[in-house]
């Protein structure tokens, strides 16, 4: 029998890991708390190494077909005057990058890529586990019990199974709330992302998508924690009150919020863990190393982490060695993605009108290629170009390892 694995969480990290482990000959079960696939969410970025992984999965074309195709980012005044303009560009620092896709579309592609070979269980969660010498005995909320060779936690930032396995893990809040939801598209939304700051440490972004809706992103700088835990009517009231005196497209957006069915409100925070494995259980994606959406790297980290974890298991038959190898490769990548200066939050969400003007001026200066060239010369924050390793994870190695494991490679 080939080895069996349980992945908890059918989001971006979980479904990517499922694909690769299935390809490498494992029997894969994915359990998801939600009773149905969670095909919602606004625009997410896939950058550099993430793009390479999806290309290796053979789904780059499907993803490119569904891209939102925004032209770039504009910073605009109350009367929509453009104060700075940054066209779409590749790389990790650009706001609108090579691949921008709605999370819902990406999740749908990933869940379908190996659907018939993976066992999906919806509406259930892990409630207990006992690790033995050869497997993990897992108890589920539904009352079922099953054994797996390995277990993976890919449950997003607020993962509960993480606490069960690793104990309490604090969320490092960055002092910023975001609300995302869709509103009807209007002609002036064009195909650029528009970023507008409001006094009092707030900003509003409008992102058009190919479905002819516009995605509204509201940012609120605040030192108060727990607002995201309030119920939906209270959250809506809080947002309406916060933006009630603001101009530009804000009244239209706040009106749209009243009808939005997809409101997602979160208190942005990072997850930092000392170790990403315990015995036969490993953790990945936002659950392990959430970098917050302001990094623009959350989805890329989830995809790259899933690939490196699966590849480490292919290259190291002993799971403890595989987990150590995954962590060794992935940790520097995560550290760079999570690095940010706390003052950038203040700079990007100023309190006053002069502060907003100063920010727009910096963004204007930033749009000149020469400035970016000079900045890149001083930027020591370089990523490992060999992070993913050779693409031809040779058929020979795959076949050999799969044979040792007693499974059947799905490539064969
Ligand atoms: C509904 C939704 C909407 C999102 N919208 C945006 C967005 O608009 N912009 C943005 O930048 N990021 C968004 N994100 C976050 C983004 O998907 C992640 O930051 C990133 O892609 C990393 O993916 P992940 O797989 O680690 O986590 P996620 O994509 O968050 O996936 C985690 C999955 O685990 C499931 N889960 C949680 N707890 C359990 C449990 N106990 N047992 C089983 N399953 C569990 C969740 O239901 C979810 O399906 C959203 C996430 C979700 C779940």
């Amino acid at each position: 029998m080939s080895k069996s694995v349980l992945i908890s969480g059918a989001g971006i990290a979980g479904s990517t890991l499922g694909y690769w482990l299935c390809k490498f000959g494992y029997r894969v079960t994915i359990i998801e708390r939600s009773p149905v696939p969670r095909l919602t969410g606004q625009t997410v970025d896939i950058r550099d190494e993430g793009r390479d992984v999806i290309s290796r999965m053979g789904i780059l074309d499907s993803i490119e077909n569904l891209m939102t195709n925004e032209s770039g980012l504009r910073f605009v005044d109350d009367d929509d005057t453009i104060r700075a303009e940054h066209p779409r560009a590749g790389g990790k620092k650009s706001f609108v990058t090579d691949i921008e896709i709605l999370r819902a579309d990406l999740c749908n592609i990933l869940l379908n890529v190996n659907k018939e070979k993976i066992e999906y269980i919806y509406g259930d969660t892990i409630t207990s586990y006992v690790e033995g010498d050869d497997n993990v005995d897992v108890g589920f909320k539904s009352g079922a019990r099953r054994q797996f060779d390995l277990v993976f936690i890919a449950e997003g930032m607020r993962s509960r199974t993480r606490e069960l396995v690793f104990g309490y893990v604090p969320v490092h809040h960055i002092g910023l709330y975001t609300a995302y939801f869709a509103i009807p598209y209007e002609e002036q939304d064009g195909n650029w992302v528009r970023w507008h700051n409001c006094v009092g440490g707030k900003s509003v972004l409008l992102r058009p998508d190919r479905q002819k809706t516009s995605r509204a992103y509201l940012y609120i700088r605040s030192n108060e924690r727990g607002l995201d835990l309030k119920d939906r009517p209270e959250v809506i009231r809080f947002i309406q009150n916060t933006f009630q005196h603001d101009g530009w497209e804000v009244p239209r957006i706040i009106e749209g919020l009243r009808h939005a069915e997809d409101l997602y409100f979160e208190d942005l925070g990072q997850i930092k863990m000392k170790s990403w494995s315990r015995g036969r259980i490993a953790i990945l994606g936002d659950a392990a190393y959430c970098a917050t959406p302001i990094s623009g790297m959350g989805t890329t980290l989830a995809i790259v982490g899933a690939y490196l974890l699966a590849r480490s298991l292919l290259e190291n038959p002993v799971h403890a060695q595989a987990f150590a190898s995954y962590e060794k490769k992935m940790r520097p990548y995560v550290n760079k993605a999570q690095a940010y200066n706390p003052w950038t939050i203040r700079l990007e969400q100023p309190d006053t009108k002069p502060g907003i003007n100063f920010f727009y001026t910096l963004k204007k200066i930033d749009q000149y290629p020469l400035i970016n060239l000079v900045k890149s010369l001083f930027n020591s924050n370089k990523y490992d170009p060999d992070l993913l390793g050779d693409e031809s994870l040779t058929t020979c190695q795959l076949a050999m390892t799969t044979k040792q494991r007693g499974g059947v490679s799905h490539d064969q």
Side-chain angles (χ1 to χ4, degrees), residues 7-15 31-34 36-45 103-104 106-107 124-126 154-161 180 217 264 266 284-294 297-303:
I7 300 169
S8 185
I12 309 299
S15 47
I31 183 170
E32 164 60 46
R33 182 181 56 182
S34 159
V36 289
R38 296 189 72 187
L39 302 181
T40 59
Q42 318 302 334
T43 314
V44 293
D45 310 324
R103 181 190 177 278
L106 174 63
C107 207
D124 208 354
T125 54
I126 298 174
E155 296 176 357
M157 188 179 89
R158 305 251 174 226
S159 167
R160 293 216 185 125
T161 311
Y180 312 122
Y217 291 56
Y264 187 74
E266 60 172 343
L284 68 155
D286 275 4
Y289 31 75
C290 180
T292 80
I294 61 156
M297 286 291 286
T299 301
T300 303
L301 288 179
I303 291 172

Side-chain angles (χ1 to χ4, degrees), residues 70 72-74 95-96 191-195 205-208:
E70 292 157 329
L73 169 66
R74 284 175 171 154
F95 186 90
V96 179
N191 56 358
W192 284 76
V193 183
R194 289 181 296 160
W195 173 320
L205 275 75
L206 266 184
R207 308 190 67 165

Side-chain angles (χ1 to χ4, degrees), residues 171-198:
V171 177
H172 299 267
H173 291 288
I174 64 169
L176 195 65
Y177 285 92
T178 59
Y180 312 122
F181 51 93
I183 62 170
Y185 179 87
E186 288 187 11
E187 208 177 317
Q188 71 272 20
D189 295 343
N191 56 358
W192 284 76
V193 183
R194 289 181 296 160
W195 173 320
H196 175 76
N197 282 86
C198 312

Side-chain angles (χ1 to χ4, degrees), residues 71-282:
S71 301
L73 169 66
R74 284 175 171 154
F75 295 86
V76 297
D77 257 343
D78 276 347
D79 60 1
D80 214 33
T81 306
I82 300 165
R83 297 288 302 271
E85 184 172 286
H86 295 200
R88 180 163 122 194
K92 296 192 176 59
K93 293 289 168 198
S94 153
F95 186 90
V96 179
T97 190
D98 288 347
I99 298 183
E100 300 273 347
I101 182 169
L102 295 178
R103 181 190 177 278
D105 289 337
L106 174 63
C107 207
N108 197 24
I109 293 174
L110 291 171
L111 288 176
N112 279 302
V113 69
N114 242 351
K115 199 168 148 196
E116 61 294 340
K117 294 177 192 143
I118 293 175
E119 179 193 16
Y120 281 98
I121 300 169
Y122 286 95
D124 208 354
T125 54
I126 298 174
T127 48
S128 66
Y129 77 98
V130 179
E131 188 172 333
D133 289 341
D134 302 322
N135 60 26
V136 188
D137 184 58
V138 182
F140 297 92
K141 196 174 175 196
S142 59
R145 285 208 83 83
R146 284 174 65 175
Q147 282 87 39
F148 298 89
D149 289 288
L150 301 169
V151 174
F152 300 97
I153 303 168
E155 296 176 357
M157 188 179 89
R158 305 251 174 226
S159 167
R160 293 216 185 125
T161 311
R162 177 182 63 209
E163 313 285 295
L164 194 68
V165 176
F166 294 90
Y168 172 68
V169 174
V171 177
H172 299 267
H173 291 288
I174 64 169
L176 195 65
Y177 285 92
T178 59
Y180 312 122
F181 51 93
I183 62 170
Y185 179 87
E186 288 187 11
E187 208 177 317
Q188 71 272 20
D189 295 343
N191 56 358
W192 284 76
V193 183
R194 289 181 296 160
W195 173 320
H196 175 76
N197 282 86
C198 312
V199 290
K202 298 168 286 175
S203 63
V204 177
L205 275 75
L206 266 184
R207 308 190 67 165
D209 69 47
R210 54 178 184 86
Q211 295 170 342
K212 287 294 173 198
T213 50
S214 287
R215 310 277 162 166
Y217 291 56
L218 278 52
Y219 292 89
I220 304 163
R221 184 162 55 75
S222 169
N223 290 325
E224 195 182 339
R225 305 277 65 86
L227 298 172
D228 56 322
L229 306 177
K230 296 186 186 294
D231 60 20
R232 190 188 146 97
E234 262 189 279
V235 166
I236 291 181
R237 249 191 324 275
F238 165 72
I239 297 171
Q240 284 170 333
N241 290 341
T242 306
F243 287 92
Q244 63 181 326
H245 300 302
D246 295 309
W248 187 60
E249 301 270 7
V250 176
R252 170 189 156 209
I253 293 169
I254 294 305
E255 174 60 22
L257 171 63
R258 294 205 307 129
H259 311 286
E261 285 171 6
D262 59 346
L263 171 66
Y264 187 74
F265 184 63
E266 60 172 343
D267 185 2
L268 301 187
Q270 296 192 329
I271 298 295
K272 297 178 177 183
M273 296 177 68
K274 288 201 176 79
S275 169
W276 294 330
S277 66
R278 178 157 290 182
R280 293 178 168 271
I281 304 177

